[in-house]
Amino acid sequence: MSYILRFLPSSLIDIETEPETDQTLAVPPHPYHPQDADIPDYIPNASSVAELMVRFGSLLGITILTAVWIATKFNPKLKLSDKSVLGWFVLCGTLHCFFEGYFVYNHAGLAGSQDLFAQLWKEYALSDSRYLTKDPFMLCVEAITVFIWGPLCFATAISIVRGSSLRHPLQIIVCVAHLYGVGLYYSTCYINEKYRGLVYSRPEPLYYWVYYVGFNAPWVLIPAGILMNSVRSIQRGIAAMEIVFATLNRKRDQPKENSKDVPKEKPKEKSKVKHKVTFQ
């Protein structure tokens, strides 16, 4: 090959070799997978991961503690377990309505924004780039989460504070929704990777095991526990009502004593007082 190149003009050699050099030195326009994903106007985050986590964690912590404090003022009899479940649903409602709501509203320009929520989404997208590629599934499932499950989380928290009978039905609805949503989220990634060869997460353990698996695992474990507790509570309530109804039915079905066999009391005779009238 070098022998043939000796007889070619130097300009032609440069033209033929430049594209090959450019391809080897080409830098991907973004750090996400797949590397050919279309993410226009991408700008790297201006803040470090530690700074983002501290700021975001502080906001969530203040929100949850404030909500629990207000709930305790309204209902001082709340148990520690009730406060924990209350805090969970306040956390879910806050994330669904505000954090995920930000994504639904700003998904088109997310890659080029430097807002706190935008930087957090860009950081998490290293484990799932669909959040930056206008993926239809992500937009649909997040929109449902924002407009339905978020408000229901706040409604569930209010029902806990008020001791409402709707608490356990609402908890069951929201927990099933969370489990179903996470199931769809994981299954679509698996199907795309298995049958289409699309991998949305970077290969580093931090992004796959911590971000993709770890950050979503609480929405499997905690809803499953709350769901079981609510089902058992409803089961105990129904069992108690059945016992009450059975007791009432037994009392109603007992044979009544025959009123004829009961001796009647004789009416007391009125004492007749004779008044002696004398005439003078």
Side-chain angles (χ1 to χ4, degrees):
M1 183 68 179
S2 60
Y3 178 80
I4 298 174
L5 291 176
R6 292 178 185 177
F7 298 94
L8 295 176
S10 59
S11 59
L12 183 58
I13 295 174
D14 294 337
I15 293 173
E16 291 183 352
T17 56
E18 279 179 1
E20 184 177 354
T21 305
D22 292 342
Q23 290 178 0
T24 56
L25 299 178
V27 178
H30 56 73
Y32 302 99
H33 279 216
Q35 293 183 350
D36 59 349
D38 183 21
I39 305 177
D41 304 324
Y42 168 74
I43 299 176
N45 283 346
S47 303
S48 65
V49 177
E51 181 183 351
L52 293 174
M53 293 300 178
V54 169
R55 292 169 62 188
F56 190 53
S58 300
L59 289 175
L60 292 178
I62 292 172
T63 302
I64 295 171
L65 292 176
T66 303
V68 173
W69 178 77
I70 294 174
T72 306
K73 292 294 182 181
F74 277 96
N75 187 358
K77 297 181 180 179
L78 280 176
K79 300 178 182 178
L80 180 60
S81 58
D82 294 331
K83 293 178 182 178
S84 300
V85 178
L86 169 70
W88 166 255
F89 282 106
V90 170
L91 170 65
C92 292
T94 303
L95 290 175
H96 294 339
C97 290
F98 299 104
F99 184 56
E100 293 169 76
Y102 178 91
F103 164 77
V104 172
Y105 186 76
N106 298 285
H107 67 276
L110 206 61
S113 177
Q114 293 291 3
D115 295 338
L116 172 61
F117 285 0
Q119 292 189 72
L120 287 167
W121 277 117
K122 285 191 287 184
E123 180 64 24
Y124 178 77
L126 292 169
S127 69
D128 189 351
S129 62
R130 293 180 296 175
Y131 282 98
L132 297 182
T133 58
K134 305 180 183 68
D135 184 81
F137 169 77
M138 300 309 304
L139 288 174
C140 291
V141 74
E142 291 293 354
I144 294 172
T145 302
V146 170
F147 294 108
I148 298 179
W149 308 133
L152 277 180
C153 285
F154 287 126
T156 305
I158 293 173
S159 69
I160 294 173
V161 177
R162 298 179 61 184
S164 172
S165 58
L166 289 175
R167 169 185 175 174
H168 291 294
L170 286 175
Q171 286 185 174
I172 290 175
I173 293 172
V174 176
C175 289
V176 170
H178 283 155
L179 293 172
Y180 183 68
V182 175
L184 284 177
Y185 179 69
Y186 281 140
S187 61
T188 50
C189 280
Y190 173 77
I191 294 298
N192 280 325
E193 181 177 356
K194 183 175 179 61
Y195 295 103
R196 301 176 62 188
L198 293 175
V199 179
Y200 300 110
S201 175
R202 290 186 61 87
E204 292 85 352
L206 171 66
Y207 302 122
Y208 185 81
W209 291 107
V210 178
Y211 287 12
Y212 179 70
V213 176
F215 285 177
N216 292 287
W219 275 265
V220 176
L221 302 177
I222 297 178
I226 296 176
L227 177 63
M228 292 177 61
N229 179 264
S230 292
V231 170
R232 289 173 181 171
S233 297
I234 292 176
Q235 183 183 16
R236 288 194 296 266
I238 293 175
M241 291 300 297
E242 288 177 348
I243 293 174
V244 171
F245 286 138
T247 303
L248 293 175
N249 290 334
R250 281 198 302 269
K251 289 183 178 180
R252 185 187 62 186
D253 295 338
Q254 285 179 353
K256 296 181 179 180
E257 294 180 354
N258 193 347
S259 59
K260 294 182 180 180
D261 297 337
V262 179
K264 295 182 179 179
E265 295 183 358
K266 294 182 179 180
K268 295 181 179 180
E269 295 181 356
K270 295 182 180 180
S271 58
K272 296 180 180 180
V273 180
K274 295 182 179 180
H275 298 280
K276 190 175 182 180
V277 181
T278 57
F279 296 94
Q280 294 180 353

